[in-house]
Amino acid sequence: MSNRLVESATIEKSNCQHCGAHVSRDFRRTFGDGDDIAHRCPACDCMPRISRGTAAGKELDYPDPEDQPQRNQGGRVEARTDGGESL
């Protein structure tokens, strides 16, 4: 596999599949699916949903912040998961 393909796969894998925000390797290993891919992250979902499996791609009956934006308010909204500050 060429370096360019490896780099492209790594960049794609290091981003949330839902919103495109960068997600750390630790977040992906902890909450992501079996391939360490995050389908949702703290920038686009709430921690109660993430801890129940949305980052691993699981569908839940728990309200989605996209459907009810008032459910995902506070300091973590649009959070950066790479340790940086939100712009």
Side-chain angles (χ1 to χ4, degrees), residues 13-50:
K13 188 175 181 177
S14 68
N15 294 330
C16 173
Q17 300 299 297
H18 186 76
C19 71
H22 173 78
V23 287
S24 71
R25 181 174 22 149
D26 288 341
F27 180 88
R28 290 183 279 122
R29 279 195 324 233
T30 304
F31 296 106
D33 64 16
D35 295 321
D36 294 342
I37 295 173
H39 297 265
R40 298 292 290 260
C41 72
C44 64
D45 209 347
C46 59
M47 284 309 293
R49 286 176 44 85
I50 289 171

Side-chain angles (χ1 to χ4, degrees), residues 12 21 24 36 39 44 63-64 69 72 76-77 79-82 85:
E12 185 174 312
S24 71
D36 294 342
H39 297 265
C44 64
D64 189 329
N72 195 23
R76 297 296 300 163
V77 176
R80 288 186 49 170
T81 55
D82 63 356
E85 294 185 22

